[in-house]
Amino acid sequence: MKNLIQITLTILGLFVFGSVTMLAQDGRIKGKIIDKESNENVPFATVVIQSDAKTDGTSTDDKGKFDFEKLSPGTYTIVVSYIGFEDTVIENIEIKKDNDFVNLGKIFLQVNTEALSEVEVTGVNKTQVSKIDRKTYAAKDFETAQGGNAADVLGKLPSVTVQPDGNVSVRGTSDFMVYLNGKPTNIDATTLLNQISSNDIDKIDIITVPTARYDAQGKGGIINIKTKSSGIQGFAATATGTIGGAPWANDTDKYSGHSMRDDRFVGGINLMYNTEKYSLHGSFNYNEKNVNGMRIGRARVLVDDQTDPYTYFHMNAQGERPEWYKYYSANVGVDFHLSATKELSFSYFYGNRNNGRAAYYIYNTFDADASGNTIGGVARDEEYIYNPNIDNRYGNYNTASVDYTVDFEEGSNLKLSGTYESSGLSRELSNTNYFYDTKEAIDADIENEYANAKNQSAYGMSDDTPLQGYRGSVDYEKVLESGRTLGVGAQVQYVGIKGDFYFQNDLVTDDLNNSIDFDRTVTAAYIDYAGSGDKISYNFGLRTEYGQQNTFISNTSYLGDFGLSEENNYEQNKLDFFPSAHISYQKSDHTKYILAASRRINRPSLTKMAPFLYRRHFEVYVIGDPTLESEYLNNVELSYETNIGKQNINLTGFYRGTENAVFRVNTTTTQIENPDMHAILQEDVLIRSYTNAGNSTAIGGELTANLFVNSWAKLLVGGSLYNFKIKGDVFGYAVDQESTNYSLKGNMNVDITKELSSTLDYNYTSATVTSQGSNDYFQAMNIAFNYAPEKWEGWNFSLRGLDLLSSNLQGLDTNAFNNQNQQIFYQETEYHRNGPIVELGVTYTFNKVKSKKAKKASAEEHFK
């Protein structure tokens, strides 16, 4: 550890404090290419310099910079081009004498637009823009997600799948890093994405193969959410409000008496104030959503393998399952433009959430064979259970960061960053069982609030898991004499969680209360080398991370009964190396190839590690495993992108191989060879946990097309097809699962008139295998109409129809067989969420200014 820090500081010292730059002996022109829409650097753009005496070309580096040296006195023209963007021409750049230096500063590229007439020019921007290491999507094009959250927007993107319960995955894996405005976060990804309002999002980056400069954490790569922060000079504000729901689905549960609503309320305001010296931005958002639904499930557990046929304990359930989501968040940021070369930025994000679900299930339990038939004519010993089950999660979190950036004259730059995170997230789960001989007896006892049950058991579980996190980094980049760049950096990040768990149960005599003290420190350093030639650009990098992790469990008395280690302390220290490579080949002005590869790590979350025993339903307990180890991922992608007229097509072939994969697995109390198990749980149920059990691979392709039908319509179509394999050993039983997975997504934007536009999207995701079963297919269709009347400048009205097909269903099957081909358990579950849903939204923008397009610009405009 100490040696690693010393090596890192030595490298930084050599480049930050020991670099000596030779002054150019001839004329020089340099600049930086920026995406006008996202305000981001454009790496590997083509830059051509022309004069009467010469024509030469280069490509921008991974920071969007270019530098022409050894220029003779004269007048020059710069032409900047990049696939998917309009060419930008800068004329009349003068080198007046030897050693003359011209810094063009920021040069902005505009996404391709199309002229509607000779008089008026309007634009149809691309929904997706590809760069060497990412795909960037404009959130404004997914109108059906407005009034929702970041997860709703992500669900429209080709590489991303969002389950009806809000869980997000990238190409089939839910383990990825979320960056907020370029800053990594330690908060659970699903929690954070459901917190950020879609109305506050400007762009979304999907980075499936990150370079060495990024954290190596996360199998699915990185999702970077960029909120709205830049605007016109002066003051601007946008206020939004949405109401909606499915009132025809409002109901009252017969058994609980609970009134179940299906409605939603959204409101927010976004503020910006920009001057030449500083920029201020901030927002506040509130999002409340109530969703009605139900669950149908069947489960069986092998209890006697000596009978013929085998005897299973069946647990079949059905009942109402309402959900609720209530979030509010605020963020503020300020950027100080200290000089042309120095900038200081501060930002703060606060979020508060309260979400959960209720489950009012009636269980029919009995002993029978696998098909539910009696064995040997013996009665099935039926029993009915009413199981009201409430799961509520709540809390708040904070993120604050500061950045200081310096650009040096010789083309080098230095960036210092610091981030602080804290959260106080808690959970409460209540679970009561009322036992009866018949379902009719349950119905008859409703008025008595189930006081006449022949017996009952009450469970209560709660936790408190506050998080503290710190991160500091330094990044330095030097432009070498050859025009290539060398970057080095170091980073230290820490996250600590001290959590408590409380378990109340009338039947369990064991003390299941517990606490955990978890801390993880990752010290990292990287070096990368980037350059470009006439047609080829590249970035090669190496990142090293030293992870120190310690987990302390206070109560281990019951862990052995679940097949877990009974140690109190678990320590993991490891040094890892993560290479990355990105190569771009610009075959022509309209076609390019990108080859990218990297190695990554996925350190398990505390959710999967904490050995807290939750009873999720009557038939399922969940417990984490503190011995989980990290997964390692090898990623390779080959992309082909071309423009055919106005159409843009991107085809990507990919391979993802995961070593030491963590599987979510189930076993049963009868399969755990411990006579004390029934002393704890006193029942035959499923035990759900996580384990490092093998490897998984995904190999296939992904197609994305930006299709401009005409001047008033555009279509983003995406699809994927890949083979997914899981192979390993779960609790001594072999697992070998394979499926062909595919998806199809489409998003069409149509300008019906100058004032009225519409968006229609469709999403289909195929079924896929899991380590012990499969998840069913999912499909959804949504439509939105947007009306912006010219006579009411600044006002915008929207009408959205969500889940038009009433297909918001989530199904999963789980089962396992032992080595004698005996089925150990089977569980089939289907969640129904009511639809369709109607929403009405209104937006008002103060100080709204229409942007204008410029085809050419003189050099003087870029000297700022």
Side-chain angles (χ1 to χ4, degrees), residues 163-224:
Q163 295 293 337
D165 60 4
N167 286 316
V168 180
S169 60
V170 179
R171 290 181 182 165
T173 178
S174 58
D175 297 302
F176 54 87
M177 284 286 290
V178 174
Y179 279 53
L180 183 60
N181 293 317
K183 298 295 184 64
T185 61
N186 291 306
I187 299 168
D188 172 70
T190 299
T191 299
L192 183 61
L193 292 173
N194 281 277
Q195 180 71 55
I196 302 171
S197 170
S198 61
N199 297 325
D200 206 22
I201 299 173
D202 182 26
K203 302 283 184 179
I204 295 181
D205 294 326
I206 304 296
I207 310 173
T208 51
V209 186
T211 65
R213 297 193 179 203
Y214 291 97
D215 289 45
Q217 170 71 17
K219 289 192 299 182
I222 293 170
I223 294 176
N224 180 37

Side-chain angles (χ1 to χ4, degrees), residues 18 123 133 154 178 192 218 228 271 311 455 553 560 609 615 696 735 787:
D133 66 339
L154 285 167
V178 174
L192 183 61
K228 297 173 182 176
L271 306 171
T311 301
N455 57 67
I553 311 296
M609 297 174 61
R615 183 167 191 165
S696 67
V735 172
Y787 177 60

Side-chain angles (χ1 to χ4, degrees), residues 690-709:
Y690 301 88
T691 184
N692 295 103
N695 302 319
S696 67
T697 59
I699 183 169
E702 183 175 88
L703 175 67
T704 305
N706 277 279
L707 305 177
F708 295 88
V709 181

Side-chain angles (χ1 to χ4, degrees), residues 308-480:
D308 187 17
Y310 305 138
T311 301
Y312 291 86
F313 178 59
H314 292 253
M315 297 165 280
N316 299 335
Q318 184 169 331
E320 302 294 335
R321 189 181 182 275
E323 304 170 28
W324 57 89
Y325 305 86
K326 186 181 292 186
Y327 302 102
Y328 60 87
S329 63
N331 72 78
V332 63
V334 56
D335 302 322
F336 294 101
H337 313 300
L338 304 179
S339 69
T341 61
K342 297 177 182 178
E343 185 166 289
L344 181 64
S345 301
F346 298 92
S347 64
Y348 173 74
F349 178 87
Y350 171 82
N352 187 290
R353 74 162 189 172
N354 187 321
N355 71 279
R357 60 105 181 107
Y360 306 112
Y361 299 157
I362 301 294
Y363 280 88
N364 175 212
T365 65
F366 53 88
D367 289 327
D369 67 9
S371 300
N373 302 316
T374 59
I375 300 175
V378 179
R380 300 198 310 176
D381 192 22
E382 283 191 287
E383 191 170 40
Y384 287 81
I385 300 99
Y386 172 53
N387 172 231
N389 186 321
I390 313 295
D391 188 1
N392 194 43
R393 299 171 180 171
Y394 56 92
N396 58 73
Y397 34 93
N398 305 264
T399 300
S401 62
V402 58
D403 296 289
Y404 178 67
T405 305
V406 181
D407 290 327
F408 300 109
E409 280 299 323
E410 65 272 15
S412 303
N413 63 79
L414 176 68
K415 182 177 181 179
L416 305 174
S417 299
T419 302
Y420 168 76
E421 289 181 278
S422 70
S423 68
L425 301 180
S426 300
R427 180 181 190 180
E428 292 182 354
L429 196 155
S430 63
N431 198 328
T432 304
N433 300 315
Y434 301 92
F435 295 83
Y436 295 84
D437 290 326
T438 65
K439 182 177 181 296
E440 289 74 19
I442 297 176
D443 295 336
D445 204 24
I446 292 176
E447 297 297 329
N448 299 316
E449 296 183 352
Y450 312 102
N452 296 324
K454 64 180 184 180
N455 57 67
Q456 71 178 67
S457 60
Y459 297 76
M461 288 139 281
S462 63
D463 67 33
D464 185 20
T465 54
L467 176 148
Q468 299 284 331
Y470 309 89
R471 183 186 299 263
S473 63
V474 55
D475 300 273
Y476 176 75
E477 182 180 77
K478 180 174 179 57
V479 178
L480 306 177

Side-chain angles (χ1 to χ4, degrees), residues 36 76-80 87-93 104 106-109 853-863:
K36 185 176 181 180
Y76 292 86
T77 297
I78 295 286
V79 180
V80 183
D87 290 355
T88 295
V89 181
I90 306 169
E91 300 175 325
N92 302 320
I93 308 170
L104 296 177
K106 294 180 179 179
I107 301 172
F108 294 93
L109 289 188
K853 183 184 86 169
K855 287 296 291 182
K856 294 185 179 182
S858 64
E860 285 77 6
E861 294 179 278
H862 301 278
F863 288 153

Side-chain angles (χ1 to χ4, degrees), residues 42-79:
V42 179
F44 311 113
T46 300
V47 185
V48 176
I49 187 169
Q50 300 171 340
S51 71
D52 293 337
K54 67 176 295 185
T55 297
D56 197 4
T58 187
S59 295
T60 57
D61 61 21
D62 65 337
K63 293 293 186 181
K65 296 180 180 180
F66 68 88
D67 195 348
F68 289 105
E69 296 180 312
K70 300 181 180 179
L71 300 176
S72 302
T75 300
Y76 292 86
T77 297
I78 295 286
V79 180

Side-chain angles (χ1 to χ4, degrees), residues 36 110 121 849-855:
K36 185 176 181 180
Q110 175 72 51
V121 178
V849 176
K850 296 179 181 178
S851 60
K852 297 181 179 179
K853 183 184 86 169
K855 287 296 291 182

Side-chain angles (χ1 to χ4, degrees), residues 249-251 259-263 265 288 290-292 322-323:
N250 291 347
D251 200 0
S259 177
M260 299 183 300
R261 299 163 21 215
D262 205 308
D263 50 30
F265 308 92
E288 180 179 354
N290 299 285
V291 180
N292 277 349
E323 304 170 28

